[in-house]
Amino acid sequence: MLGRAVVYLLLAVAVLTVVFPVYYAIAGAFMGPSELSSYPPALVPHSLTGRNFTGAVDAIPLVRQYANSALVATVITLAQLVTSILAAYAFVFLPMKARAVVFGVFLATLMVPWEAIIIPNYLTLSDWGFGNTYFGLVLPFLASGFGTFMLRQSFRQLPGELRDAARIDGAGHWRFLWRVVVPLNKPALAALSIYVFLSAWNQYFWPLIITRTAEMRTLQIGLTSLRDSEMADPGLILAGAVLSLLPTLALVVFGQRFIVRGLTAGAVR
């Protein structure tokens, strides 16, 4: 009994450690300057105010940058879904010489640090005239070795009899893929979508170097400009952080079961 109580206590401390920063960011976004600068710090806003949100919108082109982040993350997510589905299907269901070697090359791309290719990518896209454009923001991320690996492991769980039955019914590869394989792998696809969207939404370094104007930059860059300004207002920073947090929080809360089911697909044969 004592051991269980200790475990619950440790879990409660861990939960509080993770949840408290999120709570304080949300609470601080609705506090006035006096409450944010008070000592000891106020943990509950005494009078709710929306001035921090309106101030953040006025200080930077927040709406445009929010739309930029949403557009870039959505395009990257859809593109990686399509490319990963097609590549994974090819590795599982299509006859291929040196399949293991080609798949090894895919996996090798996961071992290349992003920092090692960011400068060549920047120079290449700049030479092509894609600097400070939406195309430049999304092009390096339209395909992913991780997505291919994850979906390949999920597709391999399908019994081979399904493909034989579809072939007997006259279904080609395209019809079998979109009518059978994709519907039966929705958890893995949902998990991959959430993972890719969160990664794209939180990108910082690449949007920082490929864009030059505030109107083309993403939300994460805008939040940094709020923090680095000479008259940095903690309330504005917290309001911007809350706006940035909302999509990621919603995806994690409502898609948690898909993340767990998708990432464990293929773990046990």
Side-chain angles (χ1 to χ4, degrees):
M1 184 65 68
L2 179 61
R4 179 176 297 181
V6 172
V7 171
Y8 284 151
L9 178 61
L10 293 176
L11 290 176
V13 172
V15 169
L16 183 62
T17 303
V18 173
V19 172
F20 180 76
V22 178
Y23 162 77
Y24 188 76
I26 297 174
F30 292 97
M31 293 182 186
S34 59
E35 290 182 282
L36 286 171
S37 58
S38 63
Y39 184 84
L43 298 180
V44 178
H46 299 296
S47 57
L48 298 179
T49 175
R51 64 169 293 276
N52 294 326
F53 294 96
T54 57
V57 172
D58 294 337
I60 59 174
L62 189 64
V63 176
R64 174 64 181 269
Q65 292 175 353
Y66 206 96
N68 290 345
S69 290
L71 176 63
V72 169
T74 301
V75 170
I76 291 175
T77 302
L78 294 177
Q80 286 202 24
L81 274 178
V82 172
T83 54
S84 298
I85 288 173
L86 296 178
Y89 182 88
F91 280 122
V92 175
F93 293 104
L94 296 184
M96 182 186 306
K97 294 183 178 179
R99 184 193 306 267
V101 175
V102 178
F103 185 66
V105 173
F106 267 73
L107 292 184
T109 62
L110 300 178
M111 306 175 191
V112 179
W114 168 245
E115 292 78 9
I117 60 175
I118 193 169
I119 298 303
N121 282 339
Y122 171 76
L123 295 176
T124 301
L125 293 181
S126 297
D127 290 342
W128 290 351
F130 293 140
N132 203 46
T133 64
Y134 290 114
F135 197 72
L137 282 168
V138 304
L139 184 60
F141 310 98
L142 297 183
S144 167
F146 172 77
T148 301
F149 168 74
M150 178 178 171
L151 294 186
R152 172 184 176 270
Q153 297 304 105
S154 181
F155 289 179
R156 291 180 65 189
Q157 305 307 304
L158 296 177
E161 291 78 5
L162 281 177
R163 179 63 190 127
D164 296 335
R167 187 180 294 111
I168 293 173
D169 289 340
H173 288 292
W174 192 256
R175 182 180 174 188
F176 176 65
L177 170 63
W178 297 109
R179 295 289 184 88
V180 179
V181 176
V182 169
L184 291 178
N185 287 273
K186 287 182 179 179
L189 295 174
L192 180 61
S193 301
I194 294 171
Y195 172 80
V196 174
F197 187 92
L198 293 180
S199 299
W201 179 268
N202 292 318
Q203 279 185 4
Y204 178 80
F205 192 40
W206 177 252
L208 178 65
I209 67 172
I210 199 63
T211 58
R212 295 184 294 273
T213 62
E215 289 72 19
M216 283 302 303
R217 287 182 169 168
T218 56
L219 183 60
Q220 309 304 329
I221 313 301
L223 296 181
T224 303
S225 64
L226 281 176
R227 184 194 64 191
D228 295 339
S229 62
E230 295 181 1
M231 300 297 292
D233 186 336
L236 302 188
I237 298 174
L238 289 176
V242 169
L243 291 175
S244 174
L245 179 66
L246 290 178
T248 59
L249 189 61
L251 283 175
V252 171
V253 170
F254 294 106
Q256 182 178 8
R257 63 188 182 94
F258 293 110
I259 296 176
V260 175
R261 290 175 59 187
L263 293 179
T264 55
V268 179
R269 291 299 302 269

